[in-house]
Each structure stands twice: as structure tokens, then as C-alpha cells.
Amino acid sequence: MIEVRSVSKTYQTGSHAGTAVMALRGVSLDIDAGEFVAVMGASGSGKSTFMNILGCLDRPTSGTYRLAGERVDELPADRLASIRNRQIGFVFQHFNLLPRTPAVENVELPLVYAGVGARERRERALGALAQVGLTDRAHHLPSELSGGQQQRVAIARALVNDPQLILADEPTGALDTTTSEEVMRLFAALNARGMTLVVVTHEHDIAAWAARRIVFRDGQVVDDRRQPPHQGREAR
């Protein structure tokens, strides 16, 4: 699914040319279709830059990135936007829901950008909400939902275009422990059905849900190991 080869990313900072920060330093790795991967690292380790490149939100300074066999690091902006909309689902820490828009219409947004007709949009959005157990909350505003329910709406939005890959950036960072476990159970269930998931987290108990853990430090991968994923409190 993901093939990254010798990827580096340098940011120019300050007002003087030549002031540069290397966020990634020659990263090479593969992530297979159907994997559940946790990406960890301290602030400034490069994990967020890596996630942005995987999500086609940023480009590497050097190296190559292939998504589902297609080299994407050199594609034009409009093609990258299409890939983000159709092939990748995003889940963020703070949900990023439109506050005055019901859940079902929040879920429809990627379909609006894809030009899908109104009737099909509504059917697919309701189907995605059913996947995350929120059929009875479809017409509620975000303010009428708990934090965990809001994150499930965000996950439904990520699923609605049937993406090949879901990228989740600190998806439990704004949630309590019990709600975080509910969200991770949902991710585990999606992965069990074949969805490829990459989750950025600084929490070891969240990373423990994944079958593979990748750790960044100073822009490089310093640990990449398989692990037996746990399935919540009952499995401990």
C-alpha cells in the first residue's frame, strides 16, 4: 500500500536563506495493505511530517513515495487533492466537524467535493454512520454529541468514500480513557475487515492496539517492530 524510499524533508526557517531544519532524514519503509500501524515519537521527531507526506498534504524534499503502486510525490496539486479525497480518509484529534451542520451532512462533505449526487450522498453517509453505530444520531449537531460520538462521526466521514487508507493523527488525544478505548475498538474492527490504518499517537496504550509500532527520533526511524495487538481490557 505504502512504499517510501529515502524520503527527506527540509523546511526553510527564518529570514535568511540557508537556515534549514531537517524534519525527515532518508526514511525508507513499506506498509502493506491491511496493516494496522502505530507511529510514535516525541515532539519534533518527524512523525507528523511523515504523516503529512503519507496523506499527500506535503511533499518530500527528496526521495519517493508510492501509494497503491502509484508514485505520488511528483503529482500536480489537483491530482493530489483527488487522491486525498478518494483514496485516503483522515481522522484528527479535534474532530474538525462543522458545528452548525448535522452529523449526516458532516459525513457527506467528502462526497460533495467528489461531485456525488444528493440522494447517493445521503445513502452513503447514513451507511457510514451505521458502520460506527450512530444511525440514531444522524441528525444531531456536534454540540449534541459526546466527544466519542463526535469522533465516530469523523471516522464515518473518513470511511464514506471507501478509502484504501485511513490516517489518524492523535485520534484519542481529546478523549477520556474509556472513550478512547471505544474508538480504538472501532479502529480494530475496521482493520479486521481489511482496512489499512496508520495512527499517530504519543500514548503507549493506544499504540498497543496496532500490530506494528514505528518510532521516530530526529527525523529517522529508530524502531520498527511487530507486536501482538491487544483488544481492550478483556484481553489483558
Side-chain angles (χ1 to χ4, degrees):
M1 176 65 70
I2 290 169
E3 301 173 58
V4 172
R5 294 291 180 271
S6 303
V7 162
S8 295
K9 180 65 181 181
T10 302
Y11 293 104
Q12 299 297 324
T13 62
S15 58
H16 300 289
T19 304
V21 173
M22 285 196 71
L24 292 177
R25 303 169 182 264
V27 173
S28 296
L29 57 81
D30 294 339
I31 295 174
D32 292 335
E35 280 202 85
F36 188 171
V37 179
V39 176
M40 303 193 73
S43 178
S45 64
K47 67 181 187 300
S48 294
T49 299
F50 178 69
M51 179 70 94
N52 286 341
I53 288 173
L54 293 190
C56 299
L57 298 167
D58 203 354
R59 301 176 188 268
T61 304
S62 61
T64 62
Y65 169 33
R66 286 181 169 82
L67 176 63
E70 179 179 14
R71 183 168 175 181
V72 297
D73 54 276
E74 294 182 332
L75 291 177
D78 58 343
R79 176 67 178 131
L80 288 178
S82 177
I83 287 173
R84 287 194 300 270
N85 183 254
R86 297 175 184 275
Q87 294 180 240
I88 305 171
F90 295 91
V91 180
F92 303 98
Q93 177 175 347
H94 295 294
F95 320 138
N96 291 5
L97 302 178
L98 299 180
R100 298 182 181 180
T101 303
V104 67
E105 293 180 26
N106 268 287
V107 175
E108 286 179 354
L109 283 174
L111 302 174
V112 173
Y113 300 140
V116 176
R119 178 175 293 184
E120 183 181 350
R121 283 202 311 267
R122 184 55 51 94
E123 289 176 355
R124 289 170 60 178
L126 289 172
L129 285 169
Q131 286 188 66
V132 301
L134 284 181
T135 299
D136 60 342
R137 295 290 187 269
H139 300 286
H140 286 62
L141 297 175
S143 61
E144 299 170 323
L145 303 173
S146 68
Q149 289 171 335
Q150 290 183 63
Q151 190 61 293
R152 282 193 278 163
V153 172
I155 293 168
R157 182 183 58 196
L159 291 171
V160 76
N161 257 340
D162 193 23
Q164 296 174 300
L165 170 68
I166 288 184
L167 301 177
D169 190 1
E170 299 285 0
T172 62
L175 303 175
D176 61 45
T177 301
T178 299
T179 308
S180 294
E181 180 156 311
E182 292 173 358
V183 168
M184 295 312 296
R185 283 186 185 280
L186 176 55
F187 279 141
L190 292 171
N191 177 247
R193 298 204 295 266
M195 180 65 68
T196 307
L197 287 140
V198 180
V199 176
V200 167
T201 183
H202 67 276
E203 300 174 75
H204 288 277
D205 58 336
I206 297 302
W209 286 83
R212 179 180 174 191
R213 187 182 309 213
I214 298 171
V215 181
F216 279 79
R217 183 183 302 142
D218 298 328
Q220 297 178 304
V221 174
V222 295
D223 192 16
D224 184 353
R225 67 178 66 183
R226 307 283 175 177
Q227 60 183 23
H230 76 66
Q231 298 297 317
R233 291 192 181 97
E234 290 95 356
R236 293 179 186 175

